[in-house]
Amino acid sequence: MSDLDDVKVKTRKSYAESAKAMLDYVENGKTFQTDKIITLPTSIFTDAGRWEKEMSAIFEKLPLCLATTAELRDIGDYKAADMLGKPIMMVRGKDSKVRAFLNVCVHRGAPVVAEGCGHVRRMSCKYHGWTYDLDGKLIGVADAHTFGDIDKSAKGLRELPCEEKNGLIFVCLTPEQTFNLEGFFKGFLDDFEELGFADWHFLGSRVLTGANWKIAFDGYMEAYHFAALHPKTVAPRTPSNIAHYQAFGPHLRIGFPQVNISKHLNAVPSAQWGEMEHKGFDFIRILFPNVSVFVANKITQLAQLFPGPTPDKNITVLNYFTRKPPPDSEAQESLEGMMDFLYKVVRDEDYWVGNHIQTGVASGAHDTVIFGKNERGNQFFHEYVDWYLGLRPDEPSLSGATGT
């Protein structure tokens, strides 16, 4: 048996365990619960000092999923953007390795590639034309005979830690900071190997802004709001207030049963339940601290949530993928419609209420917010944020929760 076969067997067994739990929840009126509700101060969404600690202890230290293999398929492909106030670029080198750099020329600080995605043979500053190869090495100084002597070998682009794994590209925003993806993800990236995500096709992205990054991210981690907030979009497909959680370190695979889960799962042997994603249930895959991946039957949405310039704002990039490129213009148009639908649900429903929540917590009406026993994913997420900030002594655990 190959390594990929081993991964498929292991992940599908885990999927099947989640499917069994979700079927039980739907048929017996239950959901995943822990033993207590928790309250948190509203200041976690408004306090500037806390926001700065989140930036320094979490977003500047942990590996962040900033791009995908599908966006940087070929040698010379690059992606550049302002991410968390830093000009970041990733480029695939001649050795096929993806590297990340600060998009800042060593000469006078100008960018060396334009924002967005593109393709280059080399990178050249638009201010004075200093040129770098795909490895970030300085290879050309404009009019060098008039500029003066410079040691090009010591004046390359500032590199950032970067690693590509199973179709996802991770970067740490602090130079020389080390990270261990295997240790951080506890096997969770096997999901993306099982999906074959490295070979998927990138369709495009949509950008929107919203409330504090944790307010926005909370909406991805529970089904309690489906009936009230999504009565015509999500609730007809997915029952409200039913979800199943599996943890991999700080990361979560969240199972959401479909209303017809009994019909689908009871029609096949239980040994096949691990192969039934989209056919009776769906998963949201949460990559701590800020990525949510929803793999649907025809289209996949990968949401990247970045803290904005102030505590009350976030910038979200919704990226869309398919397993194969659309075969014709009609299929492309259909997928564009799906992208627009998913984007509008997030913008007009989830982020609409998030903006009102931000106004509400800032008003001083209440000192705390409440997370119920049925909102264990949200509790777990905030526990991990506090742990990384050094506010709790023990690393959180999802254990002890049951479906009741």
Side-chain angles (χ1 to χ4, degrees):
M1 183 179 290
S2 69
D3 290 343
L4 178 57
D5 288 336
D6 286 340
V7 167
K8 287 183 176 181
V9 169
K10 182 178 69 173
T11 54
R12 289 179 182 178
K13 181 180 178 181
S14 184
Y15 297 168
E17 292 171 355
S18 186
K20 180 181 179 180
M22 287 186 280
L23 180 63
D24 176 53
Y25 296 163
V26 170
E27 292 186 337
N28 296 290
K30 302 190 296 186
T31 191
F32 189 108
Q33 288 185 271
T34 188
D35 59 356
K36 61 184 176 182
I37 66 172
I38 67 169
T39 58
L40 297 174
T42 55
S43 60
I44 67 171
F45 304 120
T46 60
D47 182 72
R50 180 186 173 101
W51 176 82
E52 290 172 357
K53 290 178 182 178
E54 292 168 352
M55 293 290 288
S56 62
I58 296 175
F59 284 93
E60 294 181 4
K61 294 295 189 296
L62 297 182
L64 305 177
C65 178
L66 298 187
T68 62
T69 300
E71 295 171 275
L72 303 174
R73 182 71 63 195
D74 300 320
I75 290 171
D77 286 352
Y78 78 85
K79 179 179 181 179
D82 186 302
M83 298 179 181
L84 301 161
K86 294 186 177 183
I88 308 296
M89 63 165 293
M90 293 147 283
V91 62
R92 190 173 296 280
K94 291 181 179 180
D95 58 358
S96 295
K97 179 179 178 180
V98 176
R99 294 175 176 82
F101 305 97
L102 292 170
N103 186 18
V104 180
C105 180
V106 71
H107 174 215
R108 299 267 290 278
V112 300
V113 295
E115 283 200 5
C117 292
H119 182 85
V120 291
R121 294 178 58 192
R122 60 184 62 86
M123 298 170 285
S124 183
C125 168
K126 302 303 182 287
Y127 195 9
H128 295 96
W130 285 35
T131 304
Y132 303 82
D133 67 13
L134 299 180
D135 295 342
K137 297 183 179 67
L138 179 63
I139 57 175
V141 174
D143 296 329
H145 65 288
T146 64
F147 187 85
D149 292 335
I150 186 169
D151 181 3
K152 292 196 293 290
S153 66
K155 296 296 181 181
L157 298 175
R158 189 69 182 276
E159 190 166 0
L160 299 171
C162 179
E163 186 172 342
E164 183 176 20
K165 179 78 172 179
N166 297 344
L168 304 171
I169 297 169
F170 297 91
V171 178
C172 180
L173 300 185
T174 300
E176 284 80 52
Q177 177 83 12
T178 60
F179 61 77
N180 181 327
L181 287 185
E182 293 297 329
F184 183 51
F185 281 101
K186 311 293 185 184
F188 192 33
L189 295 185
D190 286 354
D191 275 32
F192 295 88
E193 183 177 8
E194 191 275 335
L195 290 166
F197 191 66
D199 298 321
W200 286 28
H201 173 73
F202 176 61
L203 288 169
S205 61
R206 306 284 191 272
V207 180
L208 68 161
T209 59
N212 176 274
W213 71 279
K214 298 186 300 300
I215 287 177
F217 210 36
D218 271 329
Y220 293 86
M221 287 182 280
E222 45 93 349
Y224 190 34
H225 69 280
F226 287 178
L229 188 62
H230 305 303
K232 296 181 179 180
T233 52
V234 178
R237 170 188 173 90
T238 307
S240 193
N241 199 27
I242 302 178
H244 184 68
Y245 298 95
Q246 294 169 292
F248 303 78
H251 318 285
L252 290 168
R253 185 197 296 138
I254 309 174
F256 294 101
Q258 297 171 7
V259 295
N260 56 8
I261 185 173
S262 298
K263 173 185 174 182
H264 282 289
L265 294 193
N266 289 329
V268 300
S270 59
Q272 297 179 20
W273 287 0
E275 304 169 20
M276 299 293 286
E277 187 174 359
H278 325 307
K279 303 169 189 174
F281 63 88
D282 301 292
F283 288 126
I284 294 285
R285 293 171 173 89
I286 299 293
L287 280 60
F288 189 90
N290 69 324
V291 168
S292 166
V293 184
F294 170 47
V295 181
N297 187 32
K298 295 183 178 180
I299 195 169
T300 286
Q301 175 179 280
L302 187 153
Q304 300 164 299
L305 285 78
F306 299 105
T310 54
D312 59 335
K313 301 292 183 185
N314 90 82
I315 299 169
T316 296
V317 184
L318 302 176
N319 303 279
Y320 296 99
F321 305 83
T322 52
R323 292 179 183 269
K324 301 292 183 183
D328 50 43
S329 59
E330 183 177 350
Q332 177 68 39
E333 185 177 351
S334 176
L335 290 168
E336 290 285 344
M338 294 180 194
M339 292 164 63
D340 287 337
F341 171 77
L342 292 170
Y343 165 72
K344 288 176 182 177
V345 169
V346 176
R347 182 194 65 187
D348 298 342
E349 297 179 9
D350 294 286
Y351 280 42
W352 172 84
V353 78
N355 286 326
H356 284 284
I357 291 170
Q358 187 71 55
T359 300
V361 297
S363 73
H366 308 288
D367 295 330
T368 61
V369 291
I370 307 169
F371 293 93
K373 295 190 294 182
N374 58 331
E375 298 176 296
R376 179 57 187 149
N378 304 81
Q379 294 183 5
F380 186 72
F381 165 70
H382 287 283
E383 289 167 1
Y384 255 107
V385 171
D386 282 353
W387 186 70
Y388 277 110
L389 297 184
L391 300 176
R392 55 179 293 140
D394 300 320
E395 186 170 2
S397 170
L398 198 64
S399 62
T402 57
T404 57

